Amino acid sequence: MNPIDSSTTPRDIGPTEDGAALRILWEDEHESVYLPFDLRMACPCAGCVDELSGRRTLTEAMVAPSVHPTAIEYVGRYALKFVWSDGHDTGLYSYDLLRGLCRCDECVAPSGSSPPS
Ligand SMILES: [Zn+2]
Ligand SMILES: [Zn+2]
């Protein structure tokens, strides 16, 4: 048995070859690529999500399309903290959250039958 959850343990974190996105290779060999704008929009901090209702108060109009991380810090063993080019730095992105944000074909493929919206 594996003492760690390989699906939420990053093996390698870094920019993609073109530098336009962030790539995370997970211990289970899964590769996730994140666009900076999408990551910024997914910020889970109290300034971006209403703590009482859980609703996102951050809107796309509030974020520059060119937003990008100026620094990435490891927080313990469970999360990353991004310092964004707009000065925002209060969001902690747990590896659970990041894995859940993966948009690769495998992760966005509909599981079972979902009703049309
Ligand atoms: Zn935030
Ligand atoms: Zn994926």
Side-chain angles (χ1 to χ4, degrees):
M1 287 300 164
N2 201 328
I4 58 170
D5 184 346
S6 59
S7 71
T8 52
T9 303
R11 178 184 300 173
D12 188 49
I13 300 174
T16 52
E17 274 179 38
D18 62 5
L22 180 77
R23 170 183 167 276
I24 298 180
L25 178 66
W26 302 96
E27 282 292 347
D28 64 352
E29 309 282 331
H30 196 82
E31 184 181 87
S32 302
V33 174
Y34 306 96
L35 293 176
F37 183 85
D38 291 341
L39 278 181
R40 177 65 181 86
M41 286 304 301
C43 181
C45 86
C48 297
V49 177
D50 185 85
E51 284 184 290
L52 291 178
S53 65
R55 294 175 73 105
R56 184 162 297 282
T57 52
L58 183 74
T59 66
E60 297 199 357
M62 294 159 68
V63 177
S66 63
V67 73
H68 59 276
T70 58
I72 300 175
E73 299 169 12
Y74 289 85
V75 179
R77 291 183 180 178
Y78 70 97
L80 293 180
K81 185 173 110 168
F82 296 93
V83 179
W84 296 101
S85 53
D86 61 4
H88 195 72
D89 69 350
T90 46
L92 293 186
Y93 292 69
S94 71
Y95 296 136
D96 274 356
L97 173 70
L98 287 166
R99 179 67 184 233
L101 290 172
C102 183
R103 288 191 173 180
C104 76
D105 289 348
E106 194 181 317
C107 293
V108 299
S111 54
S113 57
S114 51
S117 54

